[in-house]
Amino acid sequence: MTQAADTAARAPSPRGAVAAYYSSALAIRTADAGSAAAVVLLAQKTDGVAASALLAACITVPHMFGPLSARVMSSVRSPRVALAGSFALFAVLFGGAGVLVQRGDIVPAACALAVAGFLGPIFTGGLSSWLGSLVPETIAAQRRAQSGDSLTYAVSSSVGNSVVGAVATAVSAQATVGVLCALAAAAALLVLRLPLQPVPAADRAGASIPNVLRTIVRTKDLRDITIITYGNAFGLGSLLVLATTFARSEGLPGSVGPLLIAATGVGALLTALYFVARPLAWDVMYTARFCAVVSGVFIAAAPFAGVWGAVVAFLAVGACQSVLNTVSFAVRRDASPEHLRASVFVTMAGVKIAVSALGLGLAGLVPVEGVHLAFVVAGLTSLVAGLAPRLRAEHRAPGAAPHTQKATTR
């Protein structure tokens, strides 16, 4: 038997590969989503609030270096090795940081967490960039897979913090670190089952940071989806704080804020499940603009409709976010040159998280009496981002070709 035939014999079936992908994605993204909360709980028990805030920032802020993360990933010949290596390294660094925090060694722990945070865009965009190669090249199959990928984000963002809270309550804060490390290690083993082809040396050399950034800026669909997703991400990021501030302004317990955020997770979960069952068939760029605009309207209106109206608004925002994730994956895959696709995914994912964190940080400065205005501003960032590509197109001379989907129909 030849080496190629032997490799094919060992490769999992298409369904097995997709199952391994989703299992790995859920595991690593749950670990990533719960990491900041786990660090905060652990540090507060040993070193106080200031140290916990510093350590949480150390694992969050490095996501902004997504372009550099993309370059590091693209330098490795085997995508499986790059993904599995980053997952395993996260487990080692995060586990080591947990031990250092317990010992009171804050500076070394912060350094370990910064490197772990630098890997974050690979867990999101890096992994997502390879999903399309595991499923048939039909529009229905691709959209179903992308909705399933969006589902992993919705589940992991909810489960990550829930796992941290449950384990910390039942066992200890240190145990949460062990659980998240175990999830990352499991993800590393699972991703090794994916039948991903090695990347040629010429393609790796061409995936430089300037080339990737030029591609995003010069390719209309990539540029437009970047504007849309980043504007939406800023508004969504601010909701994590504004929801609690709104609850206080209504004279309600602060715990109502997280419940409102949970409503966005429910909306995202239900919508993703629906489009897994019935693959999205609309024009992706139109859908992206529509979701950003509708999301912006509901964000702006949320505090003016009372508590139950806010719940409905947050559900709608979560639903829009789920669809926007799906079409964003579709545009990145279809519009990116194949040799730059993974780097484009990682770059855009990292900067998106940084923009969301910026919205979160600015929302923390909003006083209770200014929360209604803050919601309007947050909503406008998403709404304007959704309208901007359309307004720019109307002021250009006609003739630009619309987004075309590369996948074939059934």
Side-chain angles (χ1 to χ4, degrees):
M1 181 180 287
T2 64
Q3 183 178 0
D6 184 55
T7 301
R10 293 197 306 269
S13 66
R15 287 188 178 181
V18 172
Y21 173 89
Y22 286 130
S23 299
S24 178
L26 279 171
I28 191 60
R29 289 167 184 166
T30 297
D32 188 37
S35 60
V39 165
V40 167
L41 287 175
L42 186 61
Q44 284 183 346
K45 288 184 175 296
T46 56
D47 299 286
V49 175
S52 67
L54 169 66
L55 294 174
C58 285
I59 201 168
T60 304
V61 172
H63 284 77
M64 70 182 293
F65 298 106
L68 185 56
S69 302
R71 189 63 186 127
V72 171
M73 189 186 76
S74 66
S75 66
V76 181
R77 179 175 180 270
S78 169
R80 290 188 301 176
V81 171
L83 293 169
S86 65
F87 298 173
L89 181 58
F90 176 87
V92 172
L93 290 169
F94 192 65
V99 173
L100 291 169
V101 170
Q102 273 204 316
R103 292 170 48 183
D105 297 327
I106 298 301
V107 173
C111 294
L113 290 173
V115 179
F118 174 79
L119 299 171
I122 298 175
F123 308 159
T124 51
L127 190 55
S128 291
S129 67
W130 293 101
L131 175 58
S133 65
L134 304 177
V135 297
E137 288 285 345
T138 64
I139 292 176
Q142 291 290 324
R143 298 297 175 264
R144 178 179 286 113
Q146 288 152 356
S147 293
D149 208 23
S150 181
L151 181 62
T152 68
Y153 285 92
V155 172
S156 61
S157 63
S158 300
V159 172
N161 291 318
S162 300
V163 166
V164 168
V167 174
T169 301
V171 188
S172 66
Q174 181 62 34
T176 65
V177 175
V179 170
L180 298 184
C181 289
L183 285 171
L189 294 175
L190 287 164
V191 84
L192 287 173
R193 289 183 49 79
L194 301 184
L196 305 180
Q197 298 299 315
V199 180
D203 288 352
R204 298 200 306 275
S208 65
I209 294 176
N211 280 349
V212 173
L213 294 179
R214 273 196 298 268
T215 298
I216 293 173
V217 171
R218 294 177 179 177
T219 306
K220 179 185 181 302
D221 290 328
L222 290 178
R223 184 174 64 246
D224 288 350
I225 202 66
T226 298
I227 294 170
I228 292 168
T229 54
Y230 288 3
N232 181 252
F234 181 90
L236 283 174
S238 67
L239 290 187
L240 294 173
V241 171
L242 293 182
T244 300
T245 308
F246 167 69
R248 289 168 52 202
S249 73
E250 296 289 312
L252 300 170
S255 58
V256 172
L259 292 177
L260 289 173
I261 295 300
T264 65
V266 172
L269 180 65
L270 294 176
T271 307
L273 284 171
Y274 176 82
F275 284 112
V276 167
R278 297 177 63 87
L280 190 147
W282 308 321
D283 176 81
V284 288
M285 286 307 304
Y286 174 83
T287 303
R289 294 194 299 266
F290 178 81
C291 287
V293 170
V294 172
S295 181
V297 170
F298 276 104
I299 291 173
F304 298 97
V307 175
W308 289 109
V311 171
V312 173
F314 275 65
L315 280 167
V317 169
C320 289
Q321 177 61 22
S322 176
V323 178
L324 185 54
N325 279 341
T326 298
V327 296
S328 177
F329 298 150
V331 174
R332 293 181 207 174
R333 183 173 192 275
D334 293 350
S336 301
E338 186 173 354
H339 68 288
L340 295 180
R341 183 178 294 149
S343 296
V344 168
F345 266 80
V346 175
T347 297
M348 292 180 66
V351 180
K352 177 185 174 182
I353 294 172
V355 171
S356 179
L358 175 62
L360 173 64
L362 293 177
L365 305 176
V366 175
V368 172
E369 57 273 14
V371 70
H372 287 68
L373 177 60
F375 269 97
V376 172
V377 173
L380 283 175
T381 60
S382 183
L383 189 151
V384 171
L387 293 175
R390 179 68 178 175
L391 293 175
R392 194 170 59 252
E394 290 178 351
H395 284 83
R396 276 201 310 267
H403 175 83
T404 58
Q405 305 190 55
K406 295 181 181 177
T408 58
T409 56
R410 289 188 184 279

